[in-house]
Amino acid sequence: MKFGHWLNSLGFVEFFSLSIVLGMSAYLANLSFLIFKNWYTIKQKDNPYAEEIRKSPFLFIAITIPFLLIIYSILYRHIHTLISKIF
């Protein structure tokens, strides 16, 4: 099954659960990037030749995907049952 067909076959509960998991992983990716940037700035101190770390979309996605897989494998069933009880 193609990705587009799979997305169209999702119900509201499954789609909402995946949106929650994606939001959590994006937040953790952003937080980990900020922590790494802060650590790098502290280590470089007053080095005028230090590289500036910028967040690119590719870097953000590369950090988000592992978080997405971990959170999905741990929390998906719990979130799905909770949302199905609410709706």
Side-chain angles (χ1 to χ4, degrees):
M1 179 182 284
K2 297 204 181 228
F3 184 69
H5 292 291
W6 176 74
L7 279 177
N8 286 333
S9 69
L10 291 177
F12 175 73
V13 174
E14 289 88 8
F15 184 74
F16 195 65
S17 300
L18 285 174
S19 298
I20 289 173
V21 170
L22 182 63
M24 289 170 50
S25 62
Y27 174 73
L28 288 175
N30 189 35
L31 186 66
S32 63
F33 180 77
L34 291 175
I35 289 171
F36 176 74
K37 186 175 179 181
N38 189 22
W39 173 78
Y40 180 77
T41 305
I42 290 171
K43 288 292 182 186
Q44 290 298 319
K45 295 185 183 170
D46 295 327
N47 185 359
Y49 303 108
E51 294 273 336
E52 180 185 351
I53 297 179
R54 294 184 224 153
K55 186 183 346 178
S56 69
F58 297 113
L59 178 64
F60 183 71
I61 291 172
I63 295 172
T64 303
I65 288 175
F67 280 123
L68 178 68
L69 295 174
I70 292 169
I71 292 172
Y72 178 81
S73 64
I74 294 172
L75 295 179
Y76 181 73
R77 290 194 178 155
H78 300 294
I79 292 173
H80 186 274
T81 56
L82 178 66
I83 292 174
S84 63
K85 287 179 184 178
I86 293 173
F87 294 107

